[in-house]
Amino acid sequence: MPQNGSTQTIETLLKEKRTFKPSSQFQKNAHVPSFAKLQALSRAAAKSPEKFWADRAKDLLWMKPWKKTLVWKPPFAQWFVGGKINVSVNCLDRHLDGPRRNKAAIIWEGEPGDVRTLTYLQLHREVCRFANGLKALGVGSGDRVVIYMPLVPEAAVAMLACARIGATHSVVFGGFSTEALRDRINDAQAKAVITADGGWRKGAVVKLKDNVDAAVADCPSVQRVVVFKRTGNEVQWNAAKDVWWEDAVRGQSAVCPPAALDAEHPLFILYTSGSTGKPKGVVHSTGGYLTQVAMTCKWVFDLREDDTYWCTADIGWVTGHSYVVYGPLANGATTMMYEGGPLTPQPDRFWDMIERHRVTIFYTAPTAIRTFMRLGPEHPRRHDMSSLRLLGTVGEPINPEAWLWYHKNIGGGRCPIVDTWWQTETGAIMISPLPGATACKPGSATFPLPGISVAVVDKAGKEVPLGEGGYLVINKPWPSMLRTIYRDPERYKSQYFSQVPGVYFTGDGARRDKDGYFWVLGRVDDVINVAGHRLSTMEIESALVSHPAVAESAVVGRPDELKGQAITAFVTLQATQTPTPVLKDELCRHVAKAIGSIARPDEIRFTDALPKTRSGKIMRRLLREVAAGQGVKGDTTTLEDFSILTKLQSAEDE
Ligand code: PRX
């Protein structure tokens, strides 16, 4: 909960009026083809959520049926209790008996341009052989395995192989440093690490094995390190621990009986950075997780048999788990994976790939969209992207301007956009339009999905009236919810279930408009308090980005004797613009006009780039420290490009 608030709620100033209805063309074949149908589903699910979710779980293949749909001992939930299931069977074996047998499961492209396709049959074979290889190395059900790999098909193979034998995986993003890797391995007490010699990123090799060597030296739990050969660079070899992937699978059978796992068996742990202190190991289940991931992937992306679906996330993030690997494969879809940088070798890499692979569904992050906006529409314009039929976003609120740009320049004005709100902790999408059913408003994630109960409340847990901002909470347990924080149930309770009485606290601010649409306002820690008004930084940023000269902005509060907090805006300009004092004044006036003079920035600082995490989130905490002129003291291990901070700090005196 923010500490600086004198009032209970967050004032909201942004008013977006435009709406985009689904086309009748899209509706014709959609899984949920009208708003009336969606409302009927939501009403039925609200009446009996357990029945709704049990019906969804029945779409999966169970080895033993569950006895009880939900056991809820707040704040601990168990779903499909007594049921036995295996995720890899649902993602692979299930598709082998019919026409999907020889369908592409994964189409992968490496950064240098190499392409590989794995059919369901081939992927099944690779997973079984690697699962047998892991067993031979002494890895079994209940062990933890850290996966630190580039985005190659073997990363998905490794995840699915763990799932097959009941080992809990913890994927650590390949861009994380040795220290971050070491802390995660130690917290999970992993028995094995799966890595590669290196991976391609922005034209260079990231030497993953070197990082693993340095980390593992301080990780007593690690017995084996499996190394996939990707880039062919030299690696140090520790014969006592290291084994090449190809040696681990050599001679292994392509038959591997799947473990019959409890629905509540931990499928994976994924570490997410808390605002302070050590990273949290978010624990996800097997049966409940897959139920909601499979259902949301099918409904939100309206998956059809002939789709080529591309979610650009790395498997190091939850989006990569749920919507690159498990969701699409559980639905028998074709999922695209791309190893490298979005602008390598040219700014049109993504659009070129969409054209060549005839991608139909494209799911990415607002930060990427703003980067593409800055580079200009001529890059997508060079490509035939008429195969696209649906677009999606995730990770942050999307500013209406970026939404409209995406709709026009990538979607050709014809593709619906699903703005999907969820979190590492929720495991799957929670609030989102359904593309054949919901009229979209740019910037709004619209409504909770059927079976999901969310609300906007004040600190006491009371729902705030429509139009007012407050705290976004989830009222009822959902199947893909995190089960705990690994080895720290107290932190699980205090972090998520003690801030607002009786409900899960998301940490996000939100409001509902008069039509009931949800507008997520960003993390409540990012709210600033100007002269007693609690303002969402996201709305001021949106106002700035709606000015044609601005590419991206990050707004933070800094201490101010008079007003409590003053508004500092860090602004990145479009490539064609030059920073001038006149432009600063103009931008201030622009914000005042767009959302009111209370939100007028007290200070604007132009910068070439903003400090971001590897997943593209702006690190406002660092900017707050820069704005306050204190120098940066906090943790910077998740920062993507450290030089940006130095530049920002040296610009302070200008
Ligand atoms: O603040 C919300 C924002 O991202 C947070 C979750 O981040 P993470 O756990 O890294 O997961 C990202 C991928 C699911 C949320 O608390 N967020 C995510 N999606 C949206 C969003 N904010 C607004 N609109 C969204 N669509």
Side-chain angles (χ1 to χ4, degrees):
M1 234 2 99
Q3 300 300 310
N4 56 357
S6 57
T7 55
Q8 296 268 305
T9 56
I10 305 166
E11 293 190 29
T12 73
L13 307 164
L14 188 74
K15 300 276 180 286
E16 177 58 52
K17 297 252 160 47
R18 294 162 280 204
T19 57
F20 291 77
K21 293 207 175 91
S23 68
S24 49
Q25 174 69 14
F26 197 98
Q27 289 184 298
K28 240 189 346 216
N29 300 313
H31 290 299
V32 180
S34 69
F35 195 58
K37 178 86 190 44
L38 172 57
Q39 282 180 309
L41 281 165
S42 295
R43 267 196 305 272
K47 225 167 122 202
S48 177
E50 291 181 34
K51 175 170 185 328
F52 174 82
W53 287 115
D55 285 345
R56 304 287 83 71
K58 284 178 196 154
D59 286 343
L60 301 177
L61 193 64
W62 292 79
M63 292 157 152
K64 189 173 155 212
W66 61 92
K67 292 209 173 74
K68 205 152 174 12
T69 303
L70 171 66
V71 174
W72 177 227
K73 292 190 186 127
F76 296 98
Q78 290 178 278
W79 284 87
F80 311 116
V81 181
K84 300 265 187 205
I85 187 167
N86 186 288
V87 165
S88 82
V89 168
N90 277 279
C91 290
L92 300 169
D93 307 47
R94 195 156 69 114
H95 308 310
L96 298 185
D97 290 336
R100 288 178 184 154
R101 186 179 179 82
N102 292 319
K103 172 179 176 174
I106 296 176
I107 299 178
W108 171 85
E109 189 163 309
E111 194 182 77
D114 38 345
V115 173
R116 283 168 62 197
T117 301
L118 281 139
T119 64
Y120 273 95
L121 188 68
Q122 290 167 331
L123 183 60
H124 177 263
R125 185 181 159 80
E126 296 305 318
V127 168
C128 287
R129 292 180 70 216
F130 191 62
N132 283 327
L134 283 178
K135 281 205 256 182
L137 293 173
V139 177
S141 185
D143 289 333
R144 270 88 48 221
V145 173
V146 162
I147 299 174
Y148 181 69
M149 292 189 87
L151 196 54
V152 290
E154 281 67 19
V157 171
M159 290 163 77
L160 289 158
C162 288
R164 194 154 192 97
I165 63 176
T168 298
H169 61 68
S170 175
V171 183
V172 177
F173 175 54
F176 276 149
S177 63
T178 298
E179 295 75 40
L181 175 63
R182 182 197 58 209
D183 292 350
R184 285 159 175 77
I185 295 173
N186 281 333
D187 192 74
Q189 296 172 332
K191 192 172 196 178
V193 176
I194 304 170
T195 188
D197 49 356
W200 287 101
R201 188 82 195 167
K202 297 187 195 166
V205 171
V206 181
K207 294 189 174 164
L208 297 169
K209 174 68 164 59
D210 287 1
N211 291 348
V212 171
D213 290 342
V216 164
D218 294 327
C219 300
S221 64
V222 176
Q223 296 175 9
R224 304 307 300 250
V225 176
V226 183
V227 189
F228 177 71
K229 209 175 273 171
R230 163 67 185 138
T231 44
N233 50 296
E234 286 256 326
V235 292
Q236 298 286 324
W237 204 251
N238 173 355
K241 281 191 180 156
D242 298 348
V243 50
W244 287 108
W245 177 293
E246 60 199 60
D247 293 333
V249 297
R250 181 168 300 124
Q252 292 296 346
S253 160
V255 177
C256 175
L261 299 167
D262 261 0
E264 282 297 312
H265 184 81
L267 175 65
F268 66 88
I269 303 168
L270 187 57
Y271 286 86
T272 174
S273 36
S275 40
T276 53
K278 71 180 177 72
K280 298 175 283 194
V282 170
V283 179
H284 278 290
S285 72
T286 294
Y289 170 79
L290 195 66
T291 297
Q292 192 174 334
V293 163
M295 170 278 215
T296 51
C297 197
K298 179 171 171 183
W299 289 12
V300 172
F301 300 109
D302 194 48
L303 275 182
R304 287 202 228 131
E305 207 53 62
D306 57 355
D307 274 317
T308 300
Y309 160 97
W310 184 17
C311 164
T312 65
D314 190 276
I315 43 132
W317 314 120
V318 72
T319 312
H321 287 59
S322 302
Y323 299 106
V324 175
V325 179
Y326 292 122
L329 296 179
N331 282 289
T334 298
T335 182
M336 278 264 326
M337 286 170 76
Y338 168 57
E339 176 187 31
L343 311 180
T344 309
Q346 321 254 29
D348 64 347
R349 177 68 186 250
F350 277 9
W351 324 130
D352 183 47
M353 284 179 62
I354 289 174
E355 178 172 10
R356 280 188 289 107
H357 296 284
R358 305 308 287 157
V359 172
T360 57
I361 302 170
F362 181 68
Y363 186 35
T364 196
T367 178
I369 298 167
R370 287 192 300 267
T371 305
F372 296 130
M373 269 175 91
R374 185 170 191 219
L375 294 165
E378 60 274 21
H379 300 291
R381 218 176 270 151
R382 275 203 298 277
H383 295 278
D384 172 8
M385 298 199 288
S386 57
S387 56
L388 286 173
R389 63 182 198 90
L390 178 63
L391 303 175
T393 69
V394 60
E396 311 163 73
I398 179 161
N399 343 75
E401 287 316 305
W403 194 103
L404 292 163
W405 187 92
Y406 192 36
H407 188 256
K408 176 172 171 221
N409 294 289
I410 308 304
R414 77 184 173 277
C415 301
I417 299 179
V418 286
D419 174 351
T420 62
W421 180 90
W422 58 297
Q423 307 177 300
T424 304
E425 292 87 345
T426 70
I429 297 171
M430 303 291 279
I431 306 178
S432 172
L434 293 189
T438 317
C440 292
K441 299 189 187 187
S444 166
T446 73
F447 303 104
L449 295 177
I452 301 299
S453 172
V454 298
V456 181
V457 301
D458 62 20
K459 274 186 187 168
K462 193 164 155 287
E463 224 170 317
V464 302
L466 292 184
E468 271 185 32
Y471 306 109
L472 183 66
V473 297
I474 308 174
N475 293 314
K476 294 209 165 80
W478 64 100
S480 66
M481 70 189 283
L482 78 165
R483 296 307 195 252
T484 189
I485 299 290
Y486 191 61
R487 296 197 303 153
D488 201 349
E490 284 310 314
R491 193 166 175 202
Y492 168 75
K493 280 192 213 165
S494 66
Q495 186 90 34
Y496 303 111
F497 286 94
S498 60
Q499 320 249 18
V500 182
V503 293
Y504 170 91
F505 177 54
T506 64
D508 282 353
R511 85 182 154 91
R512 296 180 75 187
D513 67 18
K514 63 178 183 356
D515 303 321
Y517 281 65
F518 283 78
W519 296 77
V520 175
L521 303 170
R523 308 293 299 166
V524 288
D525 308 340
D526 296 336
V527 165
I528 50 183
N529 193 330
V530 181
H533 298 274
R534 293 168 47 74
L535 306 175
S536 145
T537 52
M538 186 278 281
E539 293 192 331
I540 306 172
E541 289 160 10
S542 265
L544 281 162
V545 174
S546 74
H547 188 282
V550 175
E552 189 157 42
S553 86
V555 168
V556 297
R558 65 171 159 77
D560 183 272
E561 274 186 19
L562 223 53
K563 300 198 279 185
Q565 284 191 300
I567 301 173
T568 298
F570 293 86
V571 169
T572 312
L573 294 175
Q574 298 286 359
T576 49
Q577 299 287 325
T578 345
T580 61
V582 177
L583 184 56
K584 277 190 187 176
D585 289 346
E586 190 182 319
L587 292 179
C588 288
R589 276 200 307 278
H590 178 77
V591 172
K593 189 155 166 262
I595 55 177
S597 51
I598 180 74
R600 182 192 195 95
D602 297 278
E603 182 190 15
I604 288 193
R605 293 196 189 185
F606 293 122
T607 168
D608 288 342
L610 294 166
K612 289 187 186 167
T613 63
R614 306 264 176 177
S615 64
K617 283 196 175 43
I618 294 168
M619 294 184 79
R620 289 192 180 70
R621 176 173 54 80
L622 300 185
L623 289 173
R624 273 197 292 272
E625 293 173 356
V626 172
Q630 304 161 335
V632 172
K633 294 188 288 285
D635 177 20
T636 53
T637 50
T638 54
L639 184 65
E640 184 171 45
D641 179 358
F642 199 80
S643 68
I644 292 170
L645 256 197
T646 328
K647 280 189 216 149
L648 280 170
Q649 283 173 306
S650 60
E652 265 171 51
D653 314 318
E654 284 171 12

